[in-house]
Amino acid sequence: MATANNQSTNKQLNQQMNALSLNTAQESSTTPKPSQSTTTHEDNTDNTGEIIYTNHFPCRFANDITFYQYDVKVEEFHHRNNRFGDMTGREKRRQIVTNIFFDRIIHPTAVCWYDEGSCIYSTSILSETYPVVHEHEDQGNRYRLTINSQSATSSTNDLDQSSIRIIETLIKQALKEQFKCIGSVFYQWDEQAEPDGLYDILVGFRQALCLTESDVTLNVDTTKTRFYPHSDLLDFIWNRWMKQTRQFSGHLPDDVYYQISNFLKGVEITTYQSDNQRTYVLTGEYSDVLPEQIVVREQNLLAYYRGLGFELRYPNLYCLKAHKPNNPNYIVDLPIELCQFREWQPAKEDENVKPVPAPPADERFRSILRLVQSCNFRDGRLFQEIQFNVGCADMMDVPYDILQTRQILSGRRYGFTNPVSIRRMGFLYLTDQRNHYASQNNTNFFDRFYQAARGKQVQLPQRRDEFEIHADRNLDNTLRDYLGECKRRQYEFILCVENCRNPQVHETFKRIAYHEYGIPTQCANFSKISRPNNLRSYCDNLLLSVNAKLYGENKQVAELQTDVRTMYIGADVLHSKNNYRGELPSIAAVVASMNSDCTQTAQRVSQQWPVEGRQSEEAILLLKDMVIELLRAYQDMNQGMLPKRVVVYRDGVDDGQLERVRNEEVTALRNAFEAVYPPKATRPDLTLIVVKKRHHTRFFRQIKPSREIMNVESGVVVDSCIVNPYYPNFFLNSHKPALGTNKIGNYVVLVNDTESPLVDLEELTYSLCHADQRIGSQLSESIPSVVHLADAAANNSRQLFVSNIRPANGPRARILEVHDDVQNAPNMF
């Protein structure tokens, strides 16, 4: 982008921020919208009729403020042990510390705020000596706050990530006085929920303070979340689950208990017993007998609750089994009619439930503005302490470029650029359920698949060797017999139609095929091939994967063609959910192109365990070893030649880990070069770019005459104004979203041996977003293809590891070993 453009924009922003009042509380906490930044289209004209807005808002705070950081410990008194112990629960700790702040126990005048962990911040010195111990009593319970030491200081005069984090903590604590906070998302207390089947949907927002080229900005993004409705559980079952409109009859069918059991497992409910509200976690199971047969304290459950003042209206309902949140071994029986869903409880993730639909661009744009303007950034005591102010009248507009459309090369008559010829191929129907129409559906599918292959010039064998396997207790042996025969007949590929409810059937098939016999496979979903309206497009998409897995090329990106031998690498780590103690392994995947066009790839995947007792870590422990193997694979496929340039896209790294990647993983990459390249050979130039997807920056395009808000088009790139000032980086929108508001990638350049201009790296990245052989020639992705393939490899390869058990006294990481025939097969997973 033009330097003059950036300087003009920054000057406008500085003038805008200087206009913010820091001292007059009566004035509005908004500023005029920034003047339109000059957009740099291909012709660099100003009359394009478009503005690009971003969900960043300029903010200011007073100068010469010193922040003091204190290390603290929050404890509660355990009567059973007669001593103080650590307090669990972030919200509970926050409430206790807030009460201590309110009572002026820490300091008579100091303003303090708490990060809900181990740090308190203040603009005052709290004591001359440490530790300082404060005890607090609330409703007969005793608590203790210990300030161990003053550990650090920072200032608004010298902003860095530390001071930004302190101010961000202040903002979060101040907003908690105005909104309900669940995790890191804020919700308005009085918002009307949108019913969504069994759930309610609420719109919330996230906020983050960003240190950018144009000073400090507040980034705000909305999110839609499913919650369990705050209703009686019996009403939920009768009205929402069973969809009944008549009055409840006092009885539930047996199949309803069975159907809803898994849905309720792990859900928190509240009950009123005596005058106390209690919280329980449902096990997903029910009692075997009715309440009159359940004995509690030498009386049946009906009499027990009658003694508590609750006459059960529906004694013919089986009870729910539940336990206290911190005591899973103590199971109780709870009458359904006394239970409510715990308020503000997000619905648990379920792969069978579709994601919440993302709002379109115009709806998200208006929602963000409405929520930001509803925040009171002036009157709160914490905000006043640092004179915090936000220009929330309008979003910032930013200068941008639009990269030219990529030129995609296809084969003759829109066929593949390099279609494969398959001489011998197996067609397998793998099922664990009977279906009378399976034979006809499979025939229709295979016929349509052959028709799609002819259209792309892929040659398939004239004879179709079809076979059916029914999943039973002998599945392993049956698969080995079939795959062994396929290997003997020199089958090059197996197309498998799966009609299985049990996911282990698929995992078993893949594991035996790749570990023991080395035959590439592609699985088709029986439910999808049974839909005649979508069968043609389904076969076309399936053929993309088949041709790519057999070293074919579906398309080429003209802009990637170069005489410089280049290897593109994508790397990512996938962690197991809820792996707080490090009991389950993470999966690290590295995918590398085997040519400069990035049309063929190979991959290496490893299992890695964190240090015992700790959470998963983002580092790729065997990066050097995996890159060594991929470099040798490249050498084998390129007549002994090695790449002169290696471009690495590293996924899943946040700002706090950038230096670790630069210090550790760059060293691992260069060590891999030393291990493979001859002693006197020139080492390849390395470019390493971190791909950040977990940010919340959005772009919106406004057409001037109509003021219509829509998604920005593919190719829009922003590399100034809102970018991180410490690293060369840019935002790139490389795709056209089908629904919702597009999520853009943020690319941070950590290593650039070739000293390529940033615009060249933007062009290269945009080209790589079109290179994935599994998508159509007119489509592109939100991230480079090698990164997307690494994500897929990490996710899909779990089924190929024989065990998830940590090796006793063994290494913390191991590379997945498969049959030699498929070790370097493209898109193996």
Side-chain angles (χ1 to χ4, degrees):
M1 263 168 234
T3 304
N5 238 10
N6 295 345
Q7 291 175 347
S8 173
T9 302
N10 292 337
K11 181 179 180 181
Q12 292 168 356
L13 288 169
N14 290 334
Q15 291 173 346
Q16 168 187 325
M17 295 312 307
N18 290 333
L20 283 171
S21 170
L22 298 178
N23 302 312
T24 309
Q26 291 80 8
E27 294 179 3
S28 171
S29 62
T30 63
T31 58
K33 184 177 80 69
S35 303
Q36 181 194 347
S37 306
T38 305
T39 55
T40 56
H41 278 256
E42 294 165 5
D43 58 359
N44 274 339
T45 59
D46 296 340
N47 56 355
T48 59
E50 297 182 6
I51 304 174
I52 300 296
Y53 288 107
T54 183
N55 56 337
H56 286 246
F57 299 84
C59 52
R60 286 288 297 271
F61 28 81
N63 295 326
D64 303 322
I65 293 180
T66 300
F67 298 122
Y68 299 93
Q69 177 177 321
Y70 300 92
D71 289 343
V72 301
K73 189 174 186 179
V74 185
E75 300 169 291
E76 61 182 335
F77 189 79
H78 299 285
H79 294 281
R80 184 177 301 175
N81 302 328
N82 198 33
R83 62 182 180 84
F84 282 95
D86 291 341
M87 180 185 295
T88 58
R90 298 178 66 90
E91 184 58 30
K92 187 176 180 181
R93 288 197 301 267
R94 185 188 77 86
Q95 191 59 53
I96 295 302
V97 175
T98 299
N99 291 340
I100 294 175
F101 290 166
F102 184 79
D103 293 340
R104 303 289 185 180
I105 296 174
I106 291 181
H107 192 281
T109 59
V111 175
C112 305
W113 58 98
Y114 177 46
D115 71 350
E116 303 174 14
S118 59
C119 292
I120 282 177
Y121 307 102
S122 179
T123 54
S124 303
I125 297 176
L126 301 182
S127 176
E128 297 294 332
T129 59
Y130 300 95
V132 179
V133 180
H134 301 280
E135 288 198 20
H136 179 70
E137 188 169 334
D138 183 28
Q139 298 182 353
N141 298 314
R142 293 170 59 195
Y143 306 98
R144 185 168 69 187
L145 170 65
T146 303
I147 305 176
N148 292 310
S149 63
Q150 178 188 312
S151 57
T153 60
S154 57
S155 170
T156 56
N157 291 340
D158 186 20
L159 290 174
D160 57 13
Q161 288 302 322
S162 176
S163 52
I164 290 294
R165 187 184 69 252
I166 292 172
I167 300 172
E168 195 171 46
T169 303
L170 177 146
I171 297 172
K172 182 177 182 180
Q173 296 306 323
L175 289 179
K176 280 191 173 184
E177 299 174 3
Q178 305 176 37
F179 300 90
K180 176 65 178 178
C181 184
I182 308 292
S184 60
V185 182
F186 295 92
Y187 300 91
Q188 292 181 311
W189 288 99
D190 57 351
E191 182 184 357
Q192 188 68 33
E194 173 190 345
D196 179 51
L198 300 175
Y199 307 97
D200 286 343
I201 290 181
L202 290 174
V203 177
F205 69 94
R206 292 183 174 91
Q207 55 82 28
L209 206 62
C210 303
L211 189 56
T212 69
E213 280 190 0
S214 58
D215 212 347
V216 181
T217 64
L218 185 69
N219 174 221
V220 178
D221 191 21
T222 56
T223 181
K224 286 188 173 183
T225 309
R226 283 193 179 99
F227 286 86
Y228 295 108
H230 186 225
S231 67
D232 292 338
L233 186 56
L234 184 56
D235 289 343
F236 171 83
I237 295 174
W238 185 250
N239 296 323
R240 290 210 185 188
W241 186 273
M242 299 179 64
K243 299 180 181 178
Q244 297 292 327
T245 56
R246 57 189 176 87
Q247 188 175 0
F248 180 57
S249 62
H251 173 76
L252 292 175
D254 290 343
D255 62 333
V256 171
Y257 289 104
Y258 173 78
Q259 292 170 7
I260 202 172
S261 60
N262 187 60
F263 178 83
L264 293 177
K265 185 176 182 179
V267 172
E268 293 186 17
I269 54 95
T270 58
T271 66
Y272 283 95
Q273 300 179 25
S274 299
D275 296 327
N276 299 321
Q277 185 183 41
R278 298 181 181 178
T279 301
Y280 294 91
V281 179
L282 299 180
T283 66
E285 298 177 348
Y286 293 86
S287 57
D288 297 328
V289 294
L290 293 173
E292 64 179 0
Q293 298 173 277
I294 299 175
V295 178
V296 178
R297 297 180 182 178
E298 300 180 353
Q299 54 186 330
N300 68 35
L301 206 61
L302 297 176
Y304 170 76
Y305 277 104
R306 192 177 297 119
L308 296 176
F310 296 93
E311 188 73 36
L312 296 184
R313 295 173 297 166
Y314 307 114
N316 292 323
L317 292 179
Y318 291 96
C319 291
L320 298 163
K321 289 191 174 295
H323 61 80
K324 283 295 190 70
N326 297 322
N327 191 358
N329 296 322
Y330 182 69
I331 305 297
V332 297
D333 295 287
L334 300 176
I336 296 178
E337 62 185 271
L338 299 182
C339 297
Q340 288 184 329
F341 284 105
R342 178 179 63 78
E343 193 176 9
W344 294 103
Q345 183 177 183
K348 62 182 179 180
E349 294 183 6
D350 189 337
E351 58 188 19
N352 296 320
V353 178
K354 293 182 179 179
V356 179
D362 59 338
E363 179 183 330
R364 186 186 290 271
F365 180 85
R366 292 192 300 269
S367 180
I368 291 173
L369 281 177
R370 184 175 63 252
L371 284 167
V372 171
Q373 293 166 1
S374 70
C375 298
N376 185 350
F377 291 114
R378 296 186 67 94
D379 296 339
R381 187 161 183 244
L382 289 176
F383 290 137
Q384 291 178 352
E385 180 69 10
I386 63 171
Q387 300 180 44
F388 186 75
N389 211 325
V390 178
C392 54
D394 288 286
M395 293 184 187
M396 294 173 57
D397 63 292
V398 292
Y400 65 96
D401 279 331
I402 300 181
L403 305 181
Q404 291 185 354
T405 304
R406 303 295 93 164
Q407 182 181 359
I408 307 301
L409 307 178
S410 58
R412 183 169 55 90
R413 296 179 181 176
Y414 302 102
F416 293 150
T417 55
N418 180 20
V420 297
S421 176
I422 307 176
R423 294 172 300 154
R424 295 182 179 85
M425 178 178 176
F427 295 83
L428 173 64
Y429 177 56
L430 181 59
T431 181
D432 62 1
Q433 50 191 306
R434 300 296 182 186
N435 189 306
H436 296 294
Y437 304 100
S439 178
Q440 181 61 42
N441 286 337
N442 287 338
T443 298
N444 293 339
F445 165 62
F446 293 143
D447 289 344
R448 185 58 65 93
F449 184 77
Y450 265 73
Q451 181 180 343
R454 286 192 295 270
K456 297 297 183 181
Q457 285 85 52
V458 173
Q459 296 184 18
L460 300 179
Q462 292 183 356
R463 175 184 172 185
R464 289 207 306 246
D465 293 335
E466 300 180 23
F467 198 81
E468 178 176 335
I469 294 179
H470 192 273
D472 54 22
R473 65 183 61 187
N474 296 317
L475 176 63
D476 287 31
N477 293 331
T478 306
L479 283 173
R480 287 188 174 93
D481 291 342
Y482 170 72
L483 292 169
E485 181 63 18
C486 291
K487 192 73 173 180
R488 188 186 67 79
R489 294 187 181 185
Q490 298 181 335
Y491 280 11
E492 302 165 58
F493 197 80
I494 295 175
L495 180 61
C496 175
V497 176
E498 289 185 337
N499 185 16
C500 305
R501 291 166 295 189
N502 186 354
Q504 292 183 351
V505 175
H506 170 80
E507 294 173 6
T508 301
F509 170 63
K510 284 287 188 178
R511 193 160 46 240
I512 295 176
Y514 282 98
H515 275 290
E516 301 180 27
Y517 295 95
I519 304 177
T521 65
Q522 177 64 46
C523 293
N525 190 309
F526 181 81
S527 64
K528 293 184 178 180
I529 72 167
S530 303
R531 303 170 187 168
N533 294 336
N534 300 323
L535 188 55
R536 178 177 179 179
S537 61
Y538 184 75
C539 288
D540 288 341
N541 291 331
L542 205 65
L543 195 65
L544 293 169
S545 294
V546 171
N547 193 61
K549 285 186 175 184
L550 293 174
Y551 299 92
E553 294 178 340
N554 302 336
K555 62 179 180 179
Q556 293 176 322
V557 182
E559 287 79 0
L560 288 176
Q561 295 181 347
T562 174
D563 294 332
V564 180
R565 292 191 305 276
T566 306
M567 171 186 276
Y568 301 102
I569 294 178
D572 190 21
V573 180
L574 180 68
H575 305 295
S576 300
K577 293 182 179 179
N578 304 320
N579 191 28
Y580 303 117
R581 297 181 181 179
E583 297 169 345
L584 297 173
S586 300
I587 304 296
V590 180
V591 171
S593 69
M594 296 290 104
N595 57 21
S596 300
D597 293 346
C598 202
T599 57
Q600 294 186 358
T601 59
Q603 58 280 309
R604 290 295 183 272
V605 178
S606 65
Q607 260 182 342
Q608 58 184 46
W609 282 264
V611 175
E612 202 157 358
R614 296 187 182 179
Q615 295 188 27
S616 303
E617 56 186 305
E618 187 61 36
I620 302 179
L621 301 182
L622 296 180
L623 179 61
K624 172 187 172 183
D625 304 79
M626 290 193 281
V627 172
I628 287 175
E629 292 189 14
L630 290 168
L631 284 169
R632 288 173 175 158
Y634 183 100
Q635 194 173 25
D636 291 341
M637 297 181 66
N638 290 274
Q639 294 80 46
M641 306 296 289
L642 286 164
K644 292 184 177 180
R645 184 184 183 191
V646 175
V647 181
V648 180
Y649 288 87
R650 177 66 162 92
D651 194 14
V653 178
D654 59 31
D655 286 340
Q657 297 174 322
L658 293 176
E659 283 305 306
R660 182 199 60 76
V661 171
R662 194 205 296 267
N663 295 333
E664 298 177 12
E665 297 189 8
V666 171
T667 300
L669 289 165
R670 296 199 189 278
N671 288 341
F673 301 158
E674 292 294 328
V676 176
Y677 283 73
K680 295 183 179 181
T682 303
R683 302 302 182 259
D685 291 323
L686 174 64
T687 301
L688 190 144
I689 301 175
V690 168
V691 185
K692 294 176 60 179
K693 298 179 295 185
R694 298 189 187 119
H695 61 85
H696 297 286
T697 293
R698 305 273 185 172
F699 290 147
F700 304 91
R701 179 164 57 122
Q702 185 182 66
I703 309 299
K704 282 184 181 179
S706 65
R707 299 186 66 82
E708 181 183 3
I709 297 294
M710 60 187 67
N711 277 317
V712 295
E713 56 195 292
S714 177
V716 166
V717 62
V718 173
D719 57 15
S720 65
C721 192
I722 60 167
V723 299
N724 188 318
Y726 297 114
Y727 301 95
N729 68 109
F730 57 91
F731 291 93
L732 170 64
N733 179 60
S734 55
H735 70 300
K736 297 179 181 179
L739 298 170
T741 310
N742 45 0
K743 189 71 179 286
I744 51 183
N746 179 212
Y747 299 88
V748 182
V749 183
L750 290 188
V751 179
N752 186 8
D753 286 351
T754 60
E755 299 182 356
S756 301
L758 193 61
V759 65
D760 290 352
L761 298 180
E762 294 165 359
E763 295 278 1
L764 174 63
T765 301
Y766 189 42
S767 297
L768 289 170
C769 292
H770 293 74
D772 195 333
Q773 301 297 297
R774 303 169 303 167
I775 62 175
S777 59
Q778 302 304 315
L779 300 177
S780 57
E781 296 178 304
S782 61
I783 53 178
S785 65
V786 285
V787 182
H788 199 177
L789 289 170
D791 290 345
N795 184 59
N796 297 333
S797 63
R798 288 187 182 275
Q799 63 202 7
L800 296 183
F801 286 97
V802 177
S803 172
N804 282 333
I805 300 175
R806 182 191 294 266
N809 302 320
R812 287 176 51 202
R814 61 188 177 195
I815 297 177
L816 172 67
E817 295 182 1
V818 295
H819 196 281
D820 288 343
D821 290 351
V822 293
Q823 184 71 36
N824 295 316
N827 305 331
M828 181 176 67
F829 307 111

